[in-house]
Every structure is written in C-alpha cells, then in structure tokens.
Amino acid sequence: MSISDAPSAVAPPPFGRTAVAMVTPFRADGTPDLDGARRLAAHLVAEGCDGIVLSGTTGEAPTTTDAEKEALVRAVVGAVGDRARITAGVGTGDTRHGTELARAAERAGAHGLLVLPPPYSRPGQEAAAHHLRTVADATGLPVMLYDIPGRTGTALAADTLLRLAEHPRVQGVKDCAYDLMKTAKVLAATGLAYYAGCDEQTLPLRAIGAAGCVSTVANAAPREVRAVLDAYDAGDPAEATRRYQRLVPLIEAMMAGEHPGAVTAKALLNVLGLPAGPVRAPLLAAGPQVTSELTAALKAAQR
C-alpha cells in the first residue's frame, strides 16, 4: 500500500497511520538479521502497515549498537521505503549522542525520527525540551516526540508540548503518558499528529483526534490493528469498537504480563515462521506456556 492510500481529511499523517513498532530480527547467534528485517518489513507493509518505527523499545534499542541501528534503517528503507514511512528511534540519555544517532538515521534514509526525553537522569521540563529541540535541530527530518514517563521518568507537561509544537520539525507525538486530559489539550491547541503508543488506546485516542497508532501488537496482527482504524475512519464506530474489543485479549496477553512487547512479539513471530529470532539479554525468551497462551490469543483475535 502507498502512503497516499491512508484515509485522511487533509493530508497523510507524517509518520503513517497504522505504524508498527517493529522488532529487530536476530539470527540464532544473536547477530542482526538484516535480510530477515527486510522480509519482515515487506510482510508488515503487505499486511496493512503504512509506517514502521525502528529501534524503539520493541526493537530492543537499548541493546543494539549505533552501527546496527544505522544498518537496520538502511535495510528497511531499501526494502519498503517507497511504500511506508520509516521512523528511526534515536532515544538516548546523552544529547550529543542523540544528535549523532539522528544524523546517522538521516544518512541511512529514514523519513523521520522518534525522540524521547533523556531517561534515567530525569531532567526538568526546560532541560528535557532543550534536549528534544537540540536533536530536532540536528537534521532536516520530521520528529515524533515520545512521551513515555513510565520508562524515562519524565512526563512531558502540556505546556512543554505546546512550546515544542512551535518547532518546525516537531510534527508528532507517540503517546504513552496515560494522561487523556493532557492529550486532549494538546490536540485541541496544535497541529501535532498524535499516535497511540499503547495498543489498548488506539481506538480511544483516534476518537479524540489522534492520527493513528504505533503498535507493538501489529507485529503479529497487522491486519487486525489496521481494521480498527479503517472501520472508524469509514464512519462505522460500532464496527471499530467490535474489532477493538476482539483485539483486547491479545493486547493484554502481549502487553500486560511479565514479558515486555519485544519478548511477546518475537515469540509470536517465531510461531508464525516470520523473521524474529531470539531476544538479547537482559531480556529472556518467553517459555512454552506463555508462548502457547499468546498463540491462543492471536488465533482468537483473527477469527
């Protein structure tokens, strides 16, 4: 599918509409599987994803090297960059490192950047905004801010988001803040394209004006995730709700248990015979019981 096929009243969203937070496939020995990444990206686009986000949490960004991240972007852009928007995660606790990652992603052909407040150091609002602006200034690429205080320790305040929206390259937000009032306020006051970064919020946020989602569940169920947005955008909220509710058990199985999304997504992709491979430590693979439960949830969602 081409970017222009995505329903929109004005223009296509800058990072796609049904974007997938793609896993980073590894070989059995733990090295990157770039051919597998190309094949997986092509599969996800063929199944309905018009955006791919690389090197996020689901892509195991904390345990991949800078060179591996750049090679991954080149591989995926080469495979599907004419059919989907490719956004590269450049999250880091070091602003200088963030600008280096951003420039490398631009060189590799990325269409956009996913940038989060520095984790662990927990800077104040002005310092977090300075970091985000500095990375945005490093390239000519559009930026999707990543508001995920559960991982970074820093929630972006509504006023901070409003100020950042004035930057010409800040064009979107991946929203994992679980703060509906903040989201509604920023949506009402800016032209930022909001993306539900937590799968259970895809339909609720679309209903108040979000552009789409960045979905971990779409690794295993891309058609089903897209179908929720398709139904809503076709003017059938009842059908969208029915499809959303059918997905909820799979979302819960993949995202609400002990294992993070990178683990559960790879478990299902391996069951499906798609490129994924192992996870890198400190993550541990899902065991047989968890994998069986995930597989059952996926089959139920696809009925």
Side-chain angles (χ1 to χ4, degrees), residues 86-291:
I86 312 303
T87 301
V90 295
T92 174
D94 178 352
T95 303
R96 290 176 298 177
H97 186 207
T99 61
E100 292 166 1
L101 288 172
R103 291 173 183 137
E106 185 177 44
R107 289 195 302 270
H111 303 137
L113 302 173
L114 177 67
V115 191
L116 47 69
Y120 190 73
S121 58
R122 302 183 70 172
Q125 291 296 303
E126 189 53 45
H130 181 266
H131 169 87
L132 295 165
R133 287 193 197 96
T134 301
V135 177
D137 285 339
T139 78
L141 297 177
V143 166
M144 180 192 294
L145 305 175
Y146 194 1
D147 192 9
I148 183 166
R151 290 189 183 273
T152 64
T154 301
L156 293 172
D159 288 347
T160 303
L161 288 163
L162 293 175
R163 292 196 304 271
L164 288 167
E166 297 173 0
H167 192 289
R169 282 183 292 284
V170 172
Q171 297 185 18
V173 177
K174 181 182 178 184
D175 186 2
C176 289
Y178 291 100
D179 186 340
L180 190 60
M181 179 60 74
K182 177 173 71 173
T183 298
K185 286 172 63 177
V186 178
L187 275 168
T190 73
L192 291 175
Y194 257 73
Y195 291 81
C198 302
D199 276 273
E200 70 273 21
Q201 293 196 336
T202 293
L203 181 58
L205 291 193
R206 181 68 188 95
I208 64 167
C213 62
V214 177
S215 169
T216 294
V217 171
N219 279 280
R223 284 184 180 272
E224 290 73 21
V225 171
R226 176 174 168 169
V228 174
L229 294 174
D230 282 351
Y232 186 87
D233 291 350
D236 192 346
E239 176 65 8
T241 299
R242 186 186 71 80
R243 290 181 176 275
Y244 168 78
Q245 290 176 344
R246 181 182 289 179
L247 265 177
V248 167
L250 177 61
I251 295 169
E252 183 176 26
M254 290 185 67
M255 307 304 296
E258 176 184 352
H259 298 288
V263 172
T264 58
K266 282 194 166 183
L268 283 173
L269 288 169
N270 285 324
V271 167
L272 293 169
L274 291 165
V279 291
R280 281 184 176 172
L283 299 181
L284 296 175
Q289 179 63 35
V290 171
T291 300

Side-chain angles (χ1 to χ4, degrees), residues 21-22 24 53-62 87-90 114 146 174:
M22 197 179 94
T24 300
V53 177
L54 301 172
S55 297
T57 309
T58 307
E60 298 179 75
T87 301
V90 295
L114 177 67
Y146 194 1
K174 181 182 178 184

